[in-house]
Amino acid sequence: VIGESARKANFQLYGYKRNNNPRLSKMDSLMVYEATSCATYTTAGSKAILEPKNSSDLYEMLPNYAFRMGVDVSWRTSNWGEPTIHVDEYITNEELGEMFPGENVYHDEILLKGLRERITSSNKNKVLIVLHTSTSHGPKYADKYPKEFEVYKPVARNVEEGEKNVGLLVNAYDNTIRYTDFLLDNLISTLRAMTDWKSAMIFISDHGESLGENKMFMHGLPMKLAPKEQYEIPFLVWTSDNFRNYKTKDELPAVLEQHYIFHSVLNLLSIDSPAYNKDFDIFK
């Protein structure tokens, strides 16, 4: 799952004062890693998540490479700014809305619709699903979640309102994180119920977000100038029992980067590749 504008500072799992991860915080089997993004905007952040290393050279993106290696790959998106994706199944939220009438295509729960059936109906034994969300994208955070997730209120309807009252903007943003908590818990529950599959869920954000610190809002500053709120991101991992062994914290750097996704997913998919680098794998 590629998260959108989710910053570490506002996740309960990373010590935030609000109970906005009520489901994931009770999950013993969830791994929580310190991480930073390689950029502060979607295009570069998404690319870094999907490539093996930071370089000006062109690399085949993770879903394209996995697809070419015989994996059943599906890309579901409510976002934009992605590198070119060469897979047979690329589905937008609007297209999912046509497949599942009556669902709100502007809330990311649409990306989960029919997912279990999609996986179990595959004629291959390796499946990679990429969900590219937009849950915490500004400037209208309050439009990104169903009304029942508006726990913190009142809210600013947009960043322009929020500039006049930062607390209301933070309320709206924190509601998006609470909705993210629901989506990831829902996804893990779906995978956990599929007992004849070994499965994993990885969530990492493309970049962080400024919410009024030093009068900065949203994201996109050059990395040399960006405050930590724009590049300190959540990195969460769940695996089914006896699927893979994690490296210990002593075997990993204190802070991980987005390129760990490429190599860790190759391990999960058992793809033997010259592109694989064991030093950038969270698993043994």
Side-chain angles (χ1 to χ4, degrees):
V1 182
I2 301 176
E4 171 60 57
S5 305
R7 72 184 210 172
K8 165 195 158 184
N10 285 56
F11 266 68
Q12 179 189 355
L13 291 167
Y14 288 92
Y16 188 50
K17 62 187 185 298
R18 279 180 161 168
N19 180 30
N20 62 352
N21 296 142
R23 296 162 183 259
L24 296 179
S25 61
K26 295 184 178 73
M27 195 177 292
D28 294 336
S29 53
L30 190 73
M31 297 292 285
V32 179
Y33 293 100
E34 298 287 334
T36 57
S37 63
C38 297
T40 63
Y41 58 99
T42 300
T43 308
S46 300
K47 178 174 175 285
I49 290 169
L50 301 173
E51 66 184 0
K53 62 182 179 180
N54 203 19
S55 168
S56 58
D57 294 340
L58 287 174
Y59 283 96
E60 194 169 21
M61 296 292 115
L62 175 61
N64 306 347
Y65 185 56
F67 177 67
R68 197 163 60 78
M69 293 295 107
V71 177
D72 181 3
V73 180
S74 177
W75 185 287
R76 294 179 169 208
T77 182
S78 63
N79 212 326
W80 54 274
E82 304 151 351
T84 304
I85 307 300
H86 293 297
V87 298
D88 280 349
E89 187 171 279
Y90 178 99
I91 311 175
T92 66
N93 53 321
E94 286 90 355
E95 290 168 333
L96 285 165
E98 292 173 10
M99 295 163 62
F100 300 97
E103 299 293 333
N104 187 324
V105 300
Y106 300 112
H107 295 152
D108 278 332
E109 199 172 348
I110 190 71
L111 301 179
L112 306 183
K113 292 298 173 186
L115 206 56
R116 176 171 181 161
E117 294 76 12
R118 168 63 184 84
I119 295 168
T120 56
S121 66
S122 177
N123 60 4
K124 297 192 176 180
N125 65 351
K126 298 179 185 181
V127 181
L128 172 64
I129 309 282
V130 183
L131 307 181
H132 189 193
T133 67
S134 60
T135 312
S136 298
H137 201 297
K140 298 180 180 180
Y141 305 116
D143 290 348
K144 293 294 184 176
Y145 52 83
K147 203 66 180 171
E148 61 265 30
F149 287 88
E150 196 158 277
V151 175
Y152 309 111
K153 43 190 166 185
V155 299
R157 301 314 304 178
N158 53 51
V159 169
E160 193 173 32
E161 276 184 32
E163 288 176 356
K164 298 168 188 150
N165 192 326
V166 171
L168 303 192
L169 189 71
V170 172
N171 282 348
Y173 183 85
D174 284 352
N175 290 330
T176 72
I177 303 303
R178 199 174 174 102
Y179 185 46
T180 298
D181 177 79
F182 163 77
L183 294 173
L184 298 182
D185 179 71
N186 191 325
L187 180 54
I188 291 169
S189 296
T190 297
L191 296 175
R192 185 180 273 132
M194 295 165 51
T195 53
D196 51 342
W197 286 78
K198 293 187 183 299
S199 56
M201 190 288 304
I202 299 177
F203 172 85
I204 192 166
S205 189
D206 58 352
H207 52 74
E209 192 84 336
S210 285
L211 295 172
E213 299 86 6
N214 299 318
K215 298 187 176 176
M216 292 182 188
F217 293 88
M218 294 187 63
H219 54 268
L221 278 177
M223 283 296 284
K224 289 180 181 176
L225 303 175
K228 64 182 182 179
E229 290 84 5
Q230 291 192 27
Y231 60 77
E232 288 188 347
I233 54 171
F235 183 175
L236 312 174
V237 183
W238 171 89
T239 60
S240 57
D241 293 340
N242 305 314
F243 185 16
R244 286 288 186 275
N245 293 317
Y246 293 93
K247 288 179 181 173
T248 65
K249 293 291 173 83
D250 293 339
E251 295 175 287
L252 293 168
V255 180
L256 307 185
E257 57 173 85
Q258 290 168 317
H259 297 110
Y260 274 78
I261 300 299
F262 185 96
H263 305 282
S264 300
V265 171
L266 286 194
N267 183 335
L268 290 169
L269 294 171
S270 300
I271 294 176
D272 186 16
S273 165
Y276 171 75
N277 183 343
K278 65 180 173 53
D279 294 333
F280 281 80
D281 187 353
I282 61 170
F283 304 106
K284 291 182 186 291

